Amino acid sequence: MTTYILRRFLYLIPTFFGATFLAFLIIQLAPGDYITQFELDPRFTPETIARFRAQFGLDRPVHEQYLLWMHNLLHLNLGYSFAYQAPVLEVVWPRVVNSMIIVIPATVLLFLVAIPVGVYGALRQYSLGDRVVSFLAYVGLAIPNFFLALIFMYLILQVYFRTGVMVFPVSGMTSTGFEQFPTWQKILNVAWHAVIPVIVVTTSDIAGFSRVMRGQMLEVLSQDYIRTARAKGLAERMVVYKHALRNAVIPFVANIGAILPGLISGAGLVEVVMAWPGITPLLLDSLRQQDLYTVAGFLTMGLVLLMIGNLLSDLLLTWVDPRIRYE
């Protein structure tokens, strides 16, 4: 096992450099750079613009810019944000934390709800409960996240207009006067604002996850070793939860590698629609302004977490599936 882990770390080194260079190159393919917008501003002379490009290293060839950025990266410096005039880590990390407030509870709820729902659908195939769950899952798959968020916002506002009670906030992360709140009230206030985004993200993910879980369970339950276990008189609970479920979750364990980068990648357009100050609005703004190092720095964080997550997935597979050996 130790040899396997060391070998995997060695494989990660060229993967890291290749992926970061490719990401850096793709970002550079966009015409112009962050300084280009100043060329249309009469307050900036050509000499000033040339001085800015030299200051940020944007007048150098792409490979030199990459090597300079990589040199800083190896010293744990993700670069400098042109737009925010601050180190990238200081700009990105608070937004990542804000996104985690949504993503972590949504991920936990996803597994707590989707796996039992999928198992129930497989054990009660074509029953009334299975058909209702399947119908709701198909509806969930058909409705995009951002549209579901808009539906929730509409319903909450309708309740507010009719009763004068704002059940949940429809946008933002904090209420007015948040800075004057005591600590416990700040936590409750943020949690209150996060309820709808968490529900929206979880609901849409549960739809797809539960359908895949149901399909995996149905496939495993039809295997010969399950029939053999039942024929030997094992209790149904033992057959389902020890033998069938353990094998049915193997594909999900293999995909755990995507969970780690998913924790920092935000809730997508839900954050934009509900004005949540997460990582997605920051990335969209950085792409629009061609804030090179902010985008590259965030991609690098996601890449590192993806590689670590994939390694953890492979190690967990040996625990879930005893047939797998790493020699």
Side-chain angles (χ1 to χ4, degrees), residues 152-220:
F152 272 103
M153 294 167 69
Y154 172 79
L155 295 176
I156 291 172
L157 289 175
Q158 288 300 312
V159 172
Y160 175 71
F161 292 146
R162 293 174 187 275
T163 65
V165 177
M166 182 63 78
V167 182
F168 292 107
V170 294
S171 67
M173 181 177 161
T174 57
S175 301
T176 304
F178 178 80
E179 296 300 328
Q180 284 71 45
F181 291 170
T183 303
W184 66 269
Q185 193 173 354
K186 286 182 178 179
I187 296 173
L188 290 179
N189 189 259
V190 172
W192 185 47
H193 283 76
V195 169
I196 297 301
V198 169
I199 291 176
V200 170
V201 174
T202 306
T203 302
S204 57
D205 289 343
I206 285 175
F209 195 95
S210 64
R211 297 304 297 171
V212 175
M213 188 67 212
R214 179 180 180 274
Q216 287 293 326
M217 278 296 291
L218 286 174
E219 182 178 349
V220 173

Side-chain angles (χ1 to χ4, degrees), residues 97-113 145 148-149 152 156 168-169 172-173 190-206 266-267 270-271 274 276:
V97 173
N98 291 345
S99 291
M100 284 182 174
I101 295 174
I102 297 178
V103 176
I104 291 179
T107 304
V108 173
L109 281 175
L110 170 66
F111 284 95
L112 289 179
V113 176
N145 269 350
L148 185 60
F152 272 103
I156 291 172
F168 292 107
M173 181 177 161
V190 172
W192 185 47
H193 283 76
V195 169
I196 297 301
V198 169
I199 291 176
V200 170
V201 174
T202 306
T203 302
S204 57
D205 289 343
I206 285 175
V270 174
E271 293 179 348
M274 305 200 73
W276 187 271

Side-chain angles (χ1 to χ4, degrees), residues 128-154:
L128 177 61
D130 180 39
R131 292 180 189 277
V132 171
V133 170
S134 297
F135 172 77
L136 294 176
Y138 286 129
V139 172
L141 286 172
I143 300 179
N145 269 350
F146 72 92
F147 189 69
L148 185 60
L150 290 173
I151 293 175
F152 272 103
M153 294 167 69
Y154 172 79

Side-chain angles (χ1 to χ4, degrees), residues 275-296:
W276 187 271
I279 192 65
T280 304
L282 174 69
L283 275 183
L284 292 176
D285 192 46
S286 298
L287 287 170
R288 181 181 58 81
Q289 299 187 68
Q290 293 187 298
D291 196 358
L292 166 66
Y293 296 119
T294 300
V295 179

Side-chain angles (χ1 to χ4, degrees), residues 33-107:
D33 53 39
Y34 177 75
I35 308 299
T36 302
Q37 58 185 309
F38 297 145
E39 295 177 351
L40 302 176
D41 192 332
R43 294 176 299 175
F44 295 93
T45 64
E47 292 77 14
T48 302
I49 292 173
R51 181 164 52 82
F52 281 165
R53 282 207 168 89
Q55 178 183 347
F56 292 118
L58 297 176
D59 58 341
R60 300 183 184 182
V62 174
H63 69 278
E64 288 189 17
Q65 293 184 43
Y66 172 76
L67 291 176
L68 178 62
W69 175 65
M70 187 54 62
H71 175 268
N72 293 328
L73 192 62
L74 294 177
H75 291 81
L76 303 181
N77 179 6
L78 293 177
Y80 194 78
S81 168
F82 304 142
Y84 293 89
Q85 297 292 301
V88 169
L89 190 59
E90 292 182 9
V91 174
V92 169
W93 184 247
R95 296 300 193 98
V96 169
V97 173
N98 291 345
S99 291
M100 284 182 174
I101 295 174
I102 297 178
V103 176
I104 291 179
T107 304

